[in-house]
Amino acid sequence: QNYLDNFWPDLKAAHELFESILQARRERENESQENNGREYPEHLPVEILEAGIKSGRYIQGTLNVNKHRAQLEAFVRLQGFGSKETG
């Protein structure tokens, strides 16, 4: 803000862009506070998820998304599967 005010006081588009970014950041911080610091709210309570994983109803793993085709290609690597270590 200071940089724009001091060096580019007449550059209206830059000031508008800065304000837009600042507002988006405030909104994201407010959403994060509402969700206790989580970017996305939980869909099911943790207790139900843990019980479902334990019973085999749900699976747990790591989501891997193709960075070149993020909207089209992703997979879940299950914990305990796919590692090169052998037991």
Side-chain angles (χ1 to χ4, degrees), residues 4 6 10 12-13 16 19 21 24 26 30-31 34 49 53-55 59 61-62 68 82 85:
L4 289 175
N6 291 325
D10 299 327
K12 184 178 179 182
E16 290 174 356
E19 288 301 320
I21 292 169
R26 286 183 190 134
N30 288 340
E31 289 172 3
E34 290 172 5
L49 290 174
I53 291 169
K54 197 172 194 178
S55 71
I59 57 172
T62 303
H68 302 291
E85 299 177 12

Side-chain angles (χ1 to χ4, degrees), residues 13-58:
H15 286 271
E16 290 174 356
L17 178 61
F18 177 79
E19 288 301 320
S20 175
I21 292 169
L22 192 60
Q23 180 63 30
R25 185 175 175 190
R26 286 183 190 134
E27 289 173 7
R28 186 171 181 150
E29 287 173 356
N30 288 340
E31 289 172 3
S32 179
Q33 288 174 355
E34 290 172 5
N35 294 325
N36 296 323
R38 294 182 301 270
E39 188 169 348
Y40 301 101
E42 295 176 14
H43 294 281
L44 293 173
V46 173
E47 299 81 24
I48 292 175
L49 290 174
E50 289 174 346
I53 291 169
K54 197 172 194 178
S55 71
R57 180 174 183 181
Y58 302 127

Side-chain angles (χ1 to χ4, degrees), residues 48-82:
I48 292 175
L49 290 174
E50 289 174 346
I53 291 169
K54 197 172 194 178
S55 71
R57 180 174 183 181
Y58 302 127
I59 57 172
Q60 183 175 4
T62 303
L63 176 65
N64 293 278
V65 180
N66 182 328
K67 67 181 178 181
H68 302 291
R69 300 179 57 174
Q71 294 181 353
L72 302 173
E73 191 172 313
F75 65 95
V76 175
R77 185 180 310 265
L78 300 179
Q79 291 183 351
F81 293 94

